[in-house]
């Protein structure tokens, strides 16, 4: 499978790019306004529209862009016949979620919401203990603390 990474911010460079390179995906393109020197033989696009117009439909777009623009990019990509893997959240408005729910996907198309939780130290530590003690575990109980939302972000919506 072939992929196009959209966004080369810190998360795109430090988390997703290494994960893509370790996976079975073949990175063939990157969309970014940032000019970053990478030792990769891929096509570079300045904007998403150019990538949509020039790449084959069998390419999976991986979004590593700010959350408040995911939904617009997802709708644009899906409506143009591409599959998408996006960082959470896929949608932050009910309007765009409803627009998404009305799309007729082709049989090979998909949208996955990616959670990078497996990439953090806490999860890896937990998983190591879990695997070691799997047969002795009868119950797992979690308590989550949801912090207050930061000001001026999509989370306030």
């Amino acid at each position: 499978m072939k992929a196009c990474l959209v966004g080369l911010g810190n998360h795109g460079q430090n988390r997703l790019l290494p994960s893509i390179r370790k996976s079975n995906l073949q990175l063939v393109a990157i969309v970014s306004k940032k000019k970053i020197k990478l030792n990769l033989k891929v096509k570079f696009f300045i904007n998403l529209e150019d990538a949509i117009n020039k790449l084959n439909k069998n390419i999976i777009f991986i979004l590593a862009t700010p959350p408040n623009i995911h939904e617009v990019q997802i709708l644009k990509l899906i409506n143009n016949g591409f599959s998408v893997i996006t960082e959470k959240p896929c949608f932050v408005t009910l309007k765009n979620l409803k627009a998404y729910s009305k799309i007729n996907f082709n049989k090979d198309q998909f949208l996955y919401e990616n959670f990078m939780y497996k990439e953090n130290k806490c999860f890896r530590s937990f998983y190591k203990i879990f695997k070691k003690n799997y047969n002795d575990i009868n119950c797992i109980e979690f308590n989550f603390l949801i912090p207050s939302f930061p000001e001026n972000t999509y989370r306030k919506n």
Side-chain angles (χ1 to χ4, degrees), residues 107-119:
K107 65 181 174 110
D108 298 322
Q109 227 179 341
F110 61 83
L111 168 63
Y112 290 147
E113 186 176 51
N114 190 30
F115 294 89
M116 290 298 290
Y117 64 90
K118 290 183 180 180
E119 296 296 323

Side-chain angles (χ1 to χ4, degrees), residues 1-13:
M1 294 192 300
K2 297 178 180 181
C4 174
L5 177 60
V6 182
L8 275 181
N10 286 336
H11 189 68
Q13 285 181 64

Side-chain angles (χ1 to χ4, degrees), residues 77-127:
L77 288 162
I78 296 292
N79 282 320
N80 278 283
F82 292 97
S83 292
V84 180
I85 299 172
T86 183
E87 290 299 294
K88 64 177 177 57
C90 286
F91 298 97
V92 294
T93 65
L94 186 57
K95 175 186 159 200
N96 285 327
L97 178 61
K98 285 180 180 180
Y100 169 77
S101 69
K102 294 176 183 171
I103 294 172
N104 290 321
F105 283 83
N106 68 48
K107 65 181 174 110
D108 298 322
Q109 227 179 341
F110 61 83
L111 168 63
Y112 290 147
E113 186 176 51
N114 190 30
F115 294 89
M116 290 298 290
Y117 64 90
K118 290 183 180 180
E119 296 296 323
N120 71 44
K121 199 184 251 185
C122 183
F123 178 83
R124 286 191 301 266
S125 177
F126 163 77
Y127 194 66

Side-chain angles (χ1 to χ4, degrees), residues 11-119:
H11 189 68
Q13 285 181 64
N14 300 323
R15 296 281 189 202
L16 294 179
L17 193 55
S19 292
I20 292 168
R21 294 177 87 179
K22 284 191 260 179
S23 75
N24 291 330
L25 289 174
Q26 177 189 359
L27 186 66
V28 296
I30 293 175
V31 178
S32 179
K33 291 179 181 171
K34 286 185 175 185
K35 298 282 186 182
I36 296 172
K37 181 118 175 148
L38 298 171
N39 291 328
L40 298 171
K41 292 184 180 184
V42 298
K43 294 178 184 175
F44 276 88
F45 297 97
I46 301 288
N47 62 58
L48 189 58
E49 287 73 23
D50 285 345
I52 288 171
N53 291 327
K54 293 180 178 152
L55 294 175
N56 295 329
K57 300 291 187 238
N58 66 337
I59 300 214
I60 300 165
F61 279 78
I62 301 172
L63 301 182
T65 52
N68 60 327
I69 62 173
H70 285 175
E71 57 192 359
V72 173
Q73 291 174 328
I74 290 167
L75 291 171
K76 188 177 290 188
L77 288 162
I78 296 292
N79 282 320
N80 278 283
F82 292 97
S83 292
V84 180
I85 299 172
T86 183
E87 290 299 294
K88 64 177 177 57
C90 286
F91 298 97
V92 294
T93 65
L94 186 57
K95 175 186 159 200
N96 285 327
L97 178 61
K98 285 180 180 180
Y100 169 77
S101 69
K102 294 176 183 171
I103 294 172
N104 290 321
F105 283 83
N106 68 48
K107 65 181 174 110
D108 298 322
Q109 227 179 341
F110 61 83
L111 168 63
Y112 290 147
E113 186 176 51
N114 190 30
F115 294 89
M116 290 298 290
Y117 64 90
K118 290 183 180 180
E119 296 296 323

